[in-house]
Amino acid sequence: MFEIKDDTWQRAEMVEKQLRRRGIRDPAVLAAMLAVPRHEFVPGEFRARAYDDVPLPIGGGQTISQPYIVAAMTLALRPQTSDRALEIGTGCGYQAAVLSLLAKEVFTIERQPELASTASERLPNLGYHNVHVHCGDGTLGLPEFAPFDTILVAAAAPAAPEPLLAQLAELGRMIIPVGDADSQELRLIEKHAGAFSTKTLEGCRFVPLVGHHSWQKPPER
Ligand code: SAH
């Protein structure tokens, strides 16, 4: 006999109802969303709701995005197995784990030391060994590890931070929620022959990106 754990069913249902039926069809992205145990990334009191169609609190006043947004941002980046990926806003590490199954290496930066330290223990414990967690101001990027093929900004900014644009590789893709504190739109920025093109995707609502090249302190909501 073999055992199929409950969370496997819950994830399969999440992938079918929240992702595939809403138009996310890329097999690699769906496989990554099916593989990562989202319940291991959320605080104990929210585990039962880990696969619900909602963002959830992760401590420090921050949230993990709803599964659909994680998948949509990942898909927009068109990840390649040879990519060096950068994420700004590690939070609980869930998005970084999803990216790590699709890219070669993931660098992720979190400004809150407690979240960074929890994620840097959790990720290798769960077997994600190609993720490097850094603590600091992600609006500065990681110049010593640049350039990056993809950059995912998991917090809302008034505009794409200059240092991140500068650290994008040729043919690189960046996804970032741009707007004010209350509402933003996802922007996909691509670099071709040294020039940037921008596409606007869907509306969204993220916690603010706080840093030198964004809001210097959290804006009033
Ligand atoms: N991707 C995360 C969710 C991130 S929520 C996940 O899967 O859980 C946004 C995160 O961005 C928060 O943890 C917040 O502390 C962090 N953040 C905000 N401004 C930042 C900055 N300048 N540099 C790094 N992290 C930042």
Side-chain angles (χ1 to χ4, degrees):
M1 287 299 285
F2 59 87
E3 183 194 3
I4 298 177
K5 290 198 201 139
D6 273 357
D7 62 79
T8 313
W9 290 116
Q10 288 180 305
R11 270 203 300 287
E13 197 181 13
M14 171 194 90
V15 165
E16 177 57 30
K17 291 194 179 156
Q18 299 176 38
L19 309 182
R20 199 195 297 277
R21 285 190 204 165
R22 289 188 193 146
I24 293 178
R25 303 271 155 79
D26 183 272
V29 171
L30 293 177
M33 295 294 294
L34 190 59
V36 179
R38 185 170 161 96
H39 63 284
E40 300 280 4
F41 290 83
V42 301
E45 65 264 42
F46 296 110
R47 280 200 169 195
R49 299 178 57 196
Y51 298 100
D52 289 1
D53 190 13
V54 290
L56 292 171
I58 53 170
Q62 307 301 320
T63 53
I64 177 177
S65 301
Q66 80 189 99
Y68 174 77
I69 287 287
V70 172
M73 290 177 87
T74 306
L75 180 69
L77 289 174
R78 301 192 307 275
Q80 310 287 313
T81 50
S82 57
D83 281 349
R84 284 156 57 81
L86 175 67
E87 180 196 28
I88 313 303
T90 315
C92 66
Y94 175 71
Q95 171 79 72
V98 171
L99 288 173
S100 79
L101 296 180
L102 300 164
K104 184 163 180 231
E105 253 185 316
V106 179
F107 297 83
T108 179
I109 316 176
E110 171 56 53
R111 73 184 274 270
Q112 292 202 27
E114 247 178 59
L115 288 172
S117 113
T118 306
S120 67
E121 280 175 27
R122 174 183 288 139
L123 285 159
N125 284 344
L126 292 172
Y128 302 100
H129 296 291
N130 58 341
V131 182
H132 314 284
V133 180
H134 294 251
C135 186
D137 178 2
T139 68
L140 305 171
L142 286 176
E144 62 276 41
F145 297 104
F148 299 100
D149 303 295
T150 64
I151 300 180
L152 186 156
V153 183
E162 279 301 325
L164 299 184
L165 291 170
Q167 290 170 37
L168 200 57
E170 174 59 22
L171 301 181
R173 292 86 62 201
M174 182 191 310
I175 185 104
I176 177 168
V178 174
D180 59 28
D182 286 321
S183 78
Q184 308 96 33
E185 51 193 28
L186 282 179
R187 292 207 184 142
L188 176 67
I189 303 173
E190 302 194 48
K191 187 169 175 181
H192 292 278
F196 296 101
S197 64
T198 301
K199 265 189 223 138
T200 297
L201 311 177
E202 56 214 285
C204 54
R205 190 170 197 250
F206 278 79
V207 296
L209 181 71
V210 178
H212 193 74
H213 294 270
S214 183
W215 290 296
Q216 307 274 326
K217 58 181 175 99
E220 299 282 326
R221 276 192 156 168

